[in-house]
Amino acid sequence: MKTDPESFIRANTGILSPPHVPEIRLHLANEAHDLWLKTEEELEEIGLPPPFWAFAWAGGQGLARYVLDHPECVRGRRVVDFASGSGLVAIAAKMAGAQYVVAVDVDPWAGTAVRLNAELNRVAVDFLGRNVIGRGREADVYLAGDVFYDKEFAGLLRPWFGALARAGAAVLVGDPGRSYCPREMMSALATYEVPVTRALEDSEVKRTTVWRFAEAG
């Protein structure tokens, strides 16, 4: 890393609450254009991968809202928040009473963001910076916010999530209508209208559904 992640995050974000999850505070980009719209060369110069952790995406907001409103889905359980980004969903799970929560993300900057955000909300969340796709069931509940945005990535996730569900894990996904979301493999649990920034999305509100992968099939 060419830039110290903690110093950069503190200098380039503000402490904000996602509109759909006001109970949680996060280090988020104040103005999406300032950070998100940097060129690839600018990001490379400071050693920064695309800063997914700097924004509260609609899928994550919807899933975090569901977890807080339905704490029984995680209470007392071991939880993995996959592709955690800012740690929003992981923090919601811990606030809802999960026994243990690990935020998983291959972006090393996300590790710092998750730590800072967990500290803001006074909860304990562990971080794992590895690719865990394909690994066997290691938790009771798997949470994934907004992960079906890419065809190739979705192709890896579908069989893995299906296998985890068949192994007895609850696999919950928050999705704002992404093209590669395998709706035929899941059942809908709740739908929300989630405010988002137009700098990142094609509208100011995204209809977001929380799905659960089927245990069979």
Side-chain angles (χ1 to χ4, degrees), residues 6-216:
E6 181 168 343
S7 299
F8 182 88
I9 290 171
R10 291 187 183 277
N12 289 275
T13 63
I15 296 175
L16 306 170
S17 292
H20 207 61
V21 198
E23 302 95 321
I24 294 177
R25 298 187 303 156
L26 302 171
H27 290 272
L28 298 175
N30 284 313
E31 174 51 56
H33 287 81
D34 290 346
L35 191 54
W36 184 254
L37 297 185
K38 284 183 181 294
T39 66
E40 193 171 322
E41 290 76 17
E42 288 175 311
L43 293 174
E44 185 176 345
E45 186 171 335
I46 59 177
L48 176 65
F52 294 108
W53 49 264
F55 305 97
W57 300 87
Q61 288 196 58
L63 185 54
R65 179 76 270 149
Y66 182 86
V67 167
L68 290 174
D69 290 348
H70 302 85
E72 67 280 359
C73 70
V74 296
R75 186 185 294 124
R77 299 181 179 181
R78 295 175 62 84
V79 176
V80 169
D81 176 28
F82 175 76
S84 186
S86 68
L88 169 60
V89 177
I91 291 166
K94 194 62 179 177
M95 291 173 66
Q99 175 191 355
Y100 171 78
V101 180
V102 58
V104 176
D105 202 298
V106 295
D107 180 358
W109 285 67
T112 301
V114 168
R115 175 174 59 79
L116 293 175
N117 290 331
E119 290 172 358
L120 266 182
N121 294 278
R122 300 181 179 180
V123 296
V125 173
D126 280 354
F127 180 79
L128 180 63
R130 298 178 187 171
N131 180 359
V132 299
I133 297 173
R135 285 168 60 162
R137 176 186 166 185
E138 298 173 329
D140 305 305
V141 181
Y142 286 77
L143 305 173
D146 213 339
V147 293
F148 290 112
Y149 52 85
D150 175 81
K151 184 176 182 179
E152 184 177 352
F153 192 45
L156 297 174
L157 296 181
R158 286 194 298 267
W160 181 47
F161 284 167
L164 291 172
R166 289 191 296 275
V171 182
L172 307 185
V173 172
D175 185 82
R178 303 300 185 201
S179 298
Y180 306 107
C181 181
R183 299 166 187 83
E184 71 282 357
M185 300 177 68
M186 304 181 291
S187 57
L189 300 177
T191 300
Y192 305 101
E193 301 292 329
V194 180
V196 292
T197 174
R198 266 199 172 274
L200 303 178
E201 301 284 6
D202 55 2
S203 63
E204 295 180 353
V205 176
K206 295 290 286 187
R207 180 179 291 269
T208 299
T209 300
V210 174
W211 303 88
R212 177 168 178 159
F213 262 74
E215 297 180 9

